[in-house]
Every structure is written in C-alpha cells, then in structure tokens.
Amino acid sequence: MPDPRSPKASDSLPGPRGLPIVGHLHRIRLNRLHLILEDWAEQYGKIFQFRIGPHRIVVISDRSEIQNILFQRPGTYRRTSALESVAKEMNLNGVFSSEGDGWRQQRKLVVSAFDRQNLRSFFPKLAVIVARLQKRWERAADASEEVDICRDLMRFTVDVTMQFAFGVDANTLETSGPVIQRHLDQVFPVVHTRMYAVFPWWRHIKLPSDRAFMKSLAVIEDEIRNLINLTRERMKAEPGRFDDPENFLEAIITASKVEDSGISDTEIFANVGNLLLAGEDTTANSLAWIIYFLLKYPHHFKRAQQEVDAVLSPEPILVRMEQTTNLPFVDACCSETMRLKPVAPLHVVQTMSDVNILGCAIPTGTQVMLLTRKIAMQDENFGHGKLFDPDRWLTSTQDTGFSHDRRAFVPFGNGPRICPGRVLALLEIRSVLAMLCRNFVIEPVRSLDDVVERLAFTMMPVNLPVMIRRRPQAME
C-alpha cells in the first residue's frame, strides 16, 4: 500500500483536457497566456498542469509556494533553458537569462551600478530628461494632438537608461526620425514567441517576420557596439576612468580587464542589451498602466495632484531626490497598479532537481509557471483583491479588517534574483507622475473599456491614446 504522506506523481495533477501530440497548443494564445492560465487556475486550483506539444508545464498560484520557489533560485530553480537558448542566439544572454557563476559575476556588477550614491548623483540628469518629456507634452497640448502615451514613455525610459547606464545623452524625446527604441520594441515579443515554440522554425526557415526582426536586431547590435567602442576610446583617452568608472558600461569594461575575469566582449554586449531592454520596456509599461488607472478614477488623479502641488510648489518637476519620499499617495497608486497590472504577471522557472511542490513530485527539468498577479488578486492575500484601492497601502489592516499580505506582492520578483533596477524604476515613475500631476490634465481619447492587456514577455496596455491639456494653475 502506498504511503499516503508521499508526494503524488506530477502526471496526476488536474488540468484542462488536451489533444494528442499538440497538447493544449490549440487553446493557447501567447499574447493572452497570463489570462488563460489565471482562468484555468480558477477551475483547477493552485497547482495544475498543461502541455505545449510534448512539454508539460506545472502552474502554481499559491502565495507561500511561490515565495519558496523565488527564494530557492538559482540553486533549485533556474530561468528556463529555452530562454537561455533564445537569448544566446540573439547575443543577449546577460544577467537576466544567464545562470551559475556567470550570473553571479554579472549580477554583482549590475547591482553595484544601481547603488544609492550612483542614483543620487544621477538624479539631476533624470530631471533634465523629465523636463524634456514635459516640453514634448506641452507641444502636444498646445497643438491639441492625440498622444501615444506608451510610445512617449518608452522614448523617455530609453533616454534614462542610456544616460544612467552608459553616460550617453540619446535624447530620443526630441528626435523626430527613426530611433533605437522602435527596434528595441521588436525584441521581447520575439523572445516571448520563441520561448514557447514547439519547433525552432527560425533556425531552418526565415519567415517575413523573422527577417524583419533580424534587421531590427542588426540595428540594435550596431548601436550597442558603437556605444561600446566610443566608451573604450573615451576610457583610453582618460585612464582615470578605469579607477573610478562613472557608469555601468565603464564598470563592466574595467572588470573585463582583470585577469581571468571571464567577462568577454560577448558578455559586455549582452548586458548592455539587457539593461536597455529591461530599462525601456518594464518601466514604461508600468507608467502607462498607472496613467490608465488615473484616467479611470479621476478622483484619485485629483488627490495625487493635490499631494504633488504641496511638494513641488512652485517648481514644475521634482528637482531633489529627497522630494520623491514625500509622495505617499502617489506611491500607493503605483503599488496598487503594480498589484493589479504588473508588467510581469507570471514568472517561469525550471527545476534543477526533483522537487516537491504542494505535495506533488515534480521531476528535474520541468517548467514551472508562477502566477504572481493571481496571488496578488486573491482575497485571502488582499481584501477585495480585484478592486483598485490605493488607500489599502496607507491604512493598517487593523483599521480595515481586510487582509493585506505584502508577501503576495512581487512585481519585481523576490529572492536572490529580484530586479536590480527596481529603485531606479521607482524614481523614474515618481518623477514622471509628479510632472504629469503638476502640469497637466489627461483625458482618454476613447472608452477605457477598449484598453486590453497584451503579453509580449512583459504585459502592456493596448489602445491607450490620450489627450493632454495644460493645467490652468500650472500656466500662471
């Protein structure tokens, strides 16, 4: 008789009915994958399985187990081998997708770039870029032009990342022609598609979309390699930069000069690309989702404006880093948005050994999807979990009587592989929102019901054009 305490085999897990050979491929739409999995979790519980072709995937939506898994990286769980393989093909296998000693070494360099002193020194440059965005929106307001808010925010975050990490003033906000951001936009959707491909067709047959992507990737490679070469020339002309690097690129070039560093030109290129991609996409989409909720709930926008007016008056933007700590309601709106609309609504890991998850034996090499947005919307973790309520972040649970389990709030991940750029991202978000609240009124161009979530490695809003108008008091 089997021991009732022993874990049950993973192939006995519940899940939707699939087809022979293809599994559930016919039911999967990658741009809606997170929504499909969240719906299935409602039907099949906190652990279930499905298949994409021959690959069986286990899905978890249990707060405690997700926390355990995040903290057991990179020892027991890793990024998926599929992600690493795709990243290597694109020459982008940097700190985000790498594993083992390579990850540890690269992680140390990336974390050091984001230390608080570096951020403090950078803040005046961030303010300059915020002021450029303000001018861009003022021109749109004066011309009564419809604003593609997502596109503008991505230009902004590219400028910030280029300046912070590489010391380059890209100024895409004031560039009318083609910019690198348009090519960066192509990368994550392709990574997302190829990660889940049953067969790597692009290695054998190039579809029109593959050829278009290769052209974009070539533009990105040229831009990054030019950036690296210019930085090397500057450091050669100013050797003191090797002793005191001023940005991430200088730091990683310096580290590569150390004997047996293991940092090659490939690693330098990959990590520059990683920072550009992550810095552009995630922060811009987070800002766009926050603006979506401020449009949807105008009374919250007015309250945020009142708070910002009290902190900024008479300045139009944040000019001191200390000011960013005096916006509790703005921060609450940010947290509530990232709870309901995180740019990473699910995380995917792969087991590196046989493990026991919620009483089920999961074999080595299994992909495990963690529904991190799902746990943040469960009433057991956050009371009235589907409601947008910024005040939940300002009021104690003793006063409300509702659950508020911050361990279920992981928009930046958690554990050893928590996002190293999260502090800079929050500085960018606060700075842009303060500028928006202080200077403008925003209105949706069409019904907010038309706004949909699209997953392309990160989750972004689609159909969010806005009209921006100057605030009367801001013009006085």
Side-chain angles (χ1 to χ4, degrees), residues 343-391:
V343 294
L346 58 86
H347 291 252
V348 189
V349 298
Q350 185 173 324
T351 60
M352 299 181 68
S353 60
D354 294 350
V355 296
N356 184 329
I357 301 179
L358 294 176
C360 296
I362 309 299
T364 303
T366 302
Q367 286 192 41
V368 180
M369 290 188 173
L370 314 176
L371 301 186
T372 50
R373 197 257 293 266
K374 179 70 174 175
I375 61 171
M377 294 177 67
Q378 291 168 344
D379 289 345
E380 65 195 74
N381 296 322
F382 287 96
H384 300 301
K386 295 181 180 179
L387 297 181
F388 181 81
D389 180 15
D391 282 308

Side-chain angles (χ1 to χ4, degrees), residues 114-183:
F114 290 100
D115 70 35
R116 190 162 186 82
Q117 185 54 47
N118 286 345
L119 292 173
R120 185 175 298 278
S121 299
F122 176 72
F123 195 81
K125 295 178 181 178
L126 172 61
V128 170
I129 302 172
V130 172
R132 287 175 182 168
L133 180 61
Q134 178 190 348
K135 290 179 182 177
R136 185 180 180 89
W137 286 350
E138 285 174 346
R139 290 192 296 270
D142 293 343
S144 298
E145 293 177 349
E146 183 178 303
V147 173
D148 184 339
I149 199 76
C150 296
R151 181 70 62 187
D152 281 1
L153 291 172
M154 286 187 178
R155 284 176 179 261
F156 166 79
T157 52
V158 164
D159 285 357
V160 172
T161 303
M162 294 282 280
Q163 182 67 259
F164 176 77
F166 318 124
V168 172
D169 186 9
N171 196 12
T172 67
L173 283 167
E174 297 177 336
T175 301
S176 58
V179 292
I180 189 174
Q181 173 257 321
R182 296 180 184 175
H183 300 285

Side-chain angles (χ1 to χ4, degrees), residues 390-400 404:
D391 282 308
R392 73 170 76 240
W393 300 93
L394 304 173
T395 310
S396 71
T397 55
Q398 291 180 342
D399 293 334
T400 64
H404 187 86

Side-chain angles (χ1 to χ4, degrees), residues 68-277:
N68 288 338
I69 291 171
L70 292 175
F71 276 92
Q72 290 180 56
R73 298 179 302 169
T76 306
Y77 299 89
R78 54 160 290 167
R79 303 280 193 196
T80 67
S81 55
L83 173 60
E84 187 173 26
S85 175
V86 169
K88 283 181 178 178
E89 288 181 337
M90 299 177 182
N91 293 324
L92 292 172
N93 188 37
V95 67
F96 182 79
S97 56
S98 62
E99 292 292 335
D101 291 339
W103 168 77
R104 291 181 179 88
Q105 188 171 45
Q106 294 171 43
R107 170 81 179 188
K108 184 177 179 180
L109 284 168
V110 172
V111 169
S112 67
F114 290 100
D115 70 35
R116 190 162 186 82
Q117 185 54 47
N118 286 345
L119 292 173
R120 185 175 298 278
S121 299
F122 176 72
F123 195 81
K125 295 178 181 178
L126 172 61
V128 170
I129 302 172
V130 172
R132 287 175 182 168
L133 180 61
Q134 178 190 348
K135 290 179 182 177
R136 185 180 180 89
W137 286 350
E138 285 174 346
R139 290 192 296 270
D142 293 343
S144 298
E145 293 177 349
E146 183 178 303
V147 173
D148 184 339
I149 199 76
C150 296
R151 181 70 62 187
D152 281 1
L153 291 172
M154 286 187 178
R155 284 176 179 261
F156 166 79
T157 52
V158 164
D159 285 357
V160 172
T161 303
M162 294 282 280
Q163 182 67 259
F164 176 77
F166 318 124
V168 172
D169 186 9
N171 196 12
T172 67
L173 283 167
E174 297 177 336
T175 301
S176 58
V179 292
I180 189 174
Q181 173 257 321
R182 296 180 184 175
H183 300 285
L184 291 171
D185 287 352
Q186 308 304 312
V187 176
F188 275 152
V190 173
V191 171
H192 185 59
T193 299
R194 293 183 179 182
M195 270 181 61
Y196 299 108
V198 176
F199 174 75
W201 75 87
W202 61 92
R203 296 173 188 166
H204 308 279
I205 301 173
K206 295 293 188 293
L207 302 176
S209 58
D210 297 314
R211 290 192 291 271
F213 171 69
M214 290 174 67
K215 290 180 180 178
S216 286
L217 195 59
V219 172
I220 295 170
E221 288 183 359
D222 286 344
E223 291 283 346
I224 292 177
R225 294 198 188 283
N226 287 337
L227 180 62
I228 293 171
N229 290 336
L230 287 171
T231 301
R232 281 180 164 149
E233 290 174 6
R234 183 171 65 242
M235 296 178 75
K236 185 177 180 180
E238 303 175 42
R241 291 178 180 270
F242 285 100
D243 298 321
D244 188 20
E246 295 185 3
N247 53 62
F248 169 73
L249 181 52
E250 290 184 1
I252 196 171
I253 288 174
T254 299
S256 71
K257 298 296 184 182
V258 177
E259 187 176 358
D260 298 325
S261 69
I263 300 175
S264 65
D265 285 357
T266 300
E267 278 75 34
I268 294 174
F269 176 87
N271 282 288
V272 170
N274 278 196
L275 286 180
L276 269 176
L277 288 163

Side-chain angles (χ1 to χ4, degrees), residues 35 45 113 170 191 206 211 254 268 271 278-280 292 314 319 322 324 383 419 440 450 466:
L35 297 171
V191 171
K206 295 293 188 293
R211 290 192 291 271
T254 299
I268 294 174
N271 282 288
E280 179 231 19
Y292 161 81
V319 294
E322 292 75 15
T324 64
C419 173
F440 300 103
D450 294 336
V466 302

Side-chain angles (χ1 to χ4, degrees), residues 294-458:
L294 294 178
L295 287 165
K296 190 172 184 178
Y297 301 102
H299 61 290
H300 288 319
F301 185 44
K302 289 181 180 178
R303 184 173 167 188
Q305 287 180 313
Q306 292 169 355
E307 180 178 79
V308 168
D309 287 346
V311 172
L312 265 65
S313 182
E315 294 121 342
I317 64 172
L318 295 171
V319 294
R320 297 181 301 279
M321 188 168 167
E322 292 75 15
Q323 292 174 306
T324 64
T325 63
N326 297 323
L327 300 168
F329 184 71
V330 170
D331 279 351
C333 289
C334 296
S335 294
E336 188 68 345
T337 297
M338 288 187 281
R339 185 181 71 83
L340 293 171
K341 302 286 188 182
V343 294
L346 58 86
H347 291 252
V348 189
V349 298
Q350 185 173 324
T351 60
M352 299 181 68
S353 60
D354 294 350
V355 296
N356 184 329
I357 301 179
L358 294 176
C360 296
I362 309 299
T364 303
T366 302
Q367 286 192 41
V368 180
M369 290 188 173
L370 314 176
L371 301 186
T372 50
R373 197 257 293 266
K374 179 70 174 175
I375 61 171
M377 294 177 67
Q378 291 168 344
D379 289 345
E380 65 195 74
N381 296 322
F382 287 96
H384 300 301
K386 295 181 180 179
L387 297 181
F388 181 81
D389 180 15
D391 282 308
R392 73 170 76 240
W393 300 93
L394 304 173
T395 310
S396 71
T397 55
Q398 291 180 342
D399 293 334
T400 64
F402 298 126
S403 55
H404 187 86
D405 191 344
R406 288 175 181 257
R407 294 170 297 177
F409 179 66
V410 287
F412 296 103
N414 213 338
R417 297 200 72 146
I418 192 171
C419 173
R422 62 194 181 280
V423 178
L424 175 59
L426 291 173
L427 284 178
E428 292 179 65
I429 289 170
R430 291 170 183 143
S431 296
V432 170
L433 291 178
M435 179 271 288
L436 174 65
C437 289
R438 177 68 176 153
N439 298 281
F440 300 103
V441 175
I442 49 175
E443 301 170 358
V445 170
R446 58 180 67 100
S447 171
L448 292 174
D449 292 337
D450 294 336
V451 178
V452 296
E453 300 174 359
R454 185 175 73 190
L455 187 65
F457 200 79
T458 57

